[in-house]
Amino acid sequence: MDHRESNELTMSQLSTRHLLGIKELSETDIRLVLETATNFKEVINRPIKKVPSLRDITIANIFFENSTRTRLSFELAEKRLSADVVNFSSSNSSVKKGETLVDTVNNILAMKVDMVVMRHASPGAPHFLSKNVPANVVNAGDGTHEHPTQALLDAFSMQEKLGDLTGKKIAIIGDILHSRVALSNIFCLQKLGAEVRVCGPVTLIPKYIESLGVKVELDLHKILEWCDVANVLRIQLERQQIKYFPSLREYSLYYGINKKLLDSLNKEIVVMHPGPINRGVELSSDAADSSHSIILDQVENGVAVRMAVLYLLAGAKG
Ligand code: CP
């Protein structure tokens, strides 16, 4: 699909030239991304998976934090759209010699780069960048703040399974405190009309969460009985400077989800996880690999959703 060829989609544009967070997107923006992603999902399942939509565009993926899914998914999305792609990771760059973020990115932009996809450990880093460099900026995860493309691909995957999300009951379970996926999911799902609740040990639930219109449930069985979807999050030990629960064994005992527990609910329930999974901690292998799970569908949908985001941002007015 070339944007010069498509008629209806070129009529609709995002209200922003950057994707910094879901908080800044309108419901219309979100629905436009999801509708556009449906077209791209069809494209990536063709024998020839490539379209020429971004053939004049150069994109830099700059990752200051580790990533498997997001980095590969963006790179594939860019290549499927025929963009030129350069990849940068801080571990073997001049950042190690003390170069600033803006200097690093401006040097990359001097090589005629149009768009920057960035993951950074500091919340707000992509917002800062968007004010200081003349390129479209896409947030690929900023610390514990937002991970907007993960929320969009999660919403796309839920819609694919359940249809319209209005009134659907979505539980986000696990380490909410350190999760950028939780915040982006809450903003996105509420804008699409779903009801969101969170569940986990009280020490891993941020105090502000109820001010977002999100109810807290500390009992795993009760939340599983309530929800249509359980979006299970990883325990982020690398962000935990203190102990939030006595041991992983105890966490798993109270908040771990296994197939026996899912089957005992006697209802349809969709299990999701943004990855990477701590198998045997928040999810057992038999639950992660069960028919309840759509975890690998999420990964496939990530490419289509990121194609939609890049395509729409390239067409956005500055
Ligand atoms: N879901 C997610 O962001 O995974 P990565 O850290 O592997 O990119």
Side-chain angles (χ1 to χ4, degrees), residues 172-176 197-205 216-220 223 235 251 254-255:
I172 306 177
I173 300 167
D175 184 355
I176 315 296
R197 294 187 185 177
V198 295
C199 178
V202 72
T203 49
L204 290 177
I205 308 279
V216 176
E217 173 57 69
L218 301 178
D219 185 306
L220 180 66
I223 197 100
I235 292 296
Y251 180 86
Y254 285 94
Y255 290 102

Side-chain angles (χ1 to χ4, degrees), residues 66-71 119 140 147 150 180-181 274-276 306:
N66 295 341
S67 170
T68 299
R69 276 147 293 272
T70 310
R71 195 174 60 77
R119 170 167 288 190
H147 192 349
Q150 181 69 46
R180 51 193 171 215
V181 175
R306 290 179 174 115

